[in-house]
Amino acid sequence: MNTKARLLIVDDDPDVLTMLRELLAGDGYEVVSAVNGRDGLHKATEVNPDVILSDVIMPEMNGFELCRRLRDDPLLAEVPIILLTGLANSEDYVAGLRAGADDFISKPFERVKLLARVGAVVRLNRYRRLVEERARFERLIELSPDGILMVAPDGALEMANLAALRMLRLSRGQNGLLQGKNLGDYVLSAHVGDLMGLLGKAIAAPEAIFRQEAILAGADG
């Protein structure tokens, strides 16, 4: 994931747009701008930003409608939206939340507080994406028809997918039996040395691919 977060700013006021663009770019963000809600919807589809900051009161399409349209788009529905608003009553805040906004920053805003709020939303969104990517990765491993073992540098077994458990003559419910076990416990003794040597090579060159044949010894012998 790119370490430089991409922000989309949507505001019909050119002075506010310029100020926000300079402020956020100066804090290390990649900034894309849009001059109204329709332009913002188009730019969001084009650049897939990490966070969207939008004014509420805009011609053609206001910030609430922009939120609703973004939430209806399956590719953009999870992008955090911060509404920049001069509206002060609770009904407007409720309307924003119902439209799909994640946070509000009231105008006029302090620059330090704005940067802090944006930074917090960016970090939370990136953490959420990492969690989702890890969950997808673990699901792909679990469903793989190939046996996959995750092994610590010392050879300790950390995880086996369902196919690997079958190879080791273990059921899904016996995954816990791997705790405290070593790769050598489930490999024919004559092949343990070769596999541990291969493990050392893989640690020294993590980007390389190594191949080694070995005979597994199942839990039933």
Side-chain angles (χ1 to χ4, degrees):
M1 194 181 298
N2 190 349
T3 56
K4 190 173 184 179
R6 180 183 296 119
L7 307 182
L8 171 62
I9 305 171
V10 186
D11 201 306
D12 63 319
D13 186 326
D15 293 332
V16 173
L17 203 59
T18 298
M19 185 274 291
L20 288 172
R21 187 167 53 236
E22 292 177 352
L23 176 65
L24 293 164
D27 204 44
Y29 295 106
E30 178 184 342
V31 179
V32 179
S33 59
V35 296
N36 56 53
R38 294 191 184 281
D39 186 30
L41 189 61
H42 173 74
K43 292 284 181 61
T45 303
E46 190 177 74
V47 305
N48 191 22
D50 291 287
V51 177
I52 297 171
L53 292 87
S54 175
D55 188 22
V56 172
I57 306 301
M58 294 183 291
E60 296 188 45
M61 182 189 296
N62 64 29
F64 296 153
E65 179 61 20
L66 176 60
C67 281
R68 285 189 285 269
R69 298 282 291 273
L70 290 167
R71 293 301 177 235
D72 287 339
D73 187 325
L75 297 179
L76 298 169
E78 298 296 327
V79 177
I81 302 171
I82 301 174
L83 290 180
L84 308 173
T85 176
L87 303 175
N89 65 68
S90 58
E91 291 181 0
D92 292 316
Y93 282 93
V94 171
L97 291 172
R98 286 177 175 170
D102 295 276
D103 199 2
F104 294 85
I105 297 178
S106 298
K107 294 180 179 181
F109 42 76
E110 296 181 29
R111 297 188 174 206
V112 174
K113 288 185 179 180
L114 183 140
L115 291 175
R117 296 277 284 279
V118 170
V121 172
V122 167
R123 287 191 296 273
L124 286 172
N125 186 46
R126 293 205 157 184
Y127 176 73
R128 177 188 60 80
R129 289 186 176 183
L130 286 171
V131 170
E132 290 176 352
E133 288 174 5
R134 177 168 181 169
R136 285 194 294 267
F137 173 71
E138 290 178 349
R139 184 64 176 160
L140 287 172
I141 287 179
E142 182 63 20
L143 296 176
S144 172
D146 298 315
I148 299 174
L149 294 172
M150 294 187 70
V151 186
D154 62 356
L157 294 176
E158 297 185 337
M159 187 278 291
N161 71 345
L162 188 57
L165 289 174
R166 291 190 183 117
M167 290 178 177
L168 299 177
R169 303 294 191 268
L170 294 168
S171 67
R172 184 192 296 269
Q174 293 177 303
N175 206 333
L177 295 178
L178 296 179
Q179 297 299 320
K181 295 290 186 177
N182 192 279
L183 179 62
D185 296 330
Y186 290 104
V187 177
L188 201 66
S189 58
H191 296 165
V192 172
D194 290 338
L195 274 185
M196 294 307 293
L198 180 71
L199 189 58
K201 291 180 182 178
I203 293 169
E207 300 300 322
I209 296 175
F210 299 95
R211 302 181 186 277
Q212 179 71 45
E213 290 189 4
I215 298 176
L216 295 177
D220 57 1

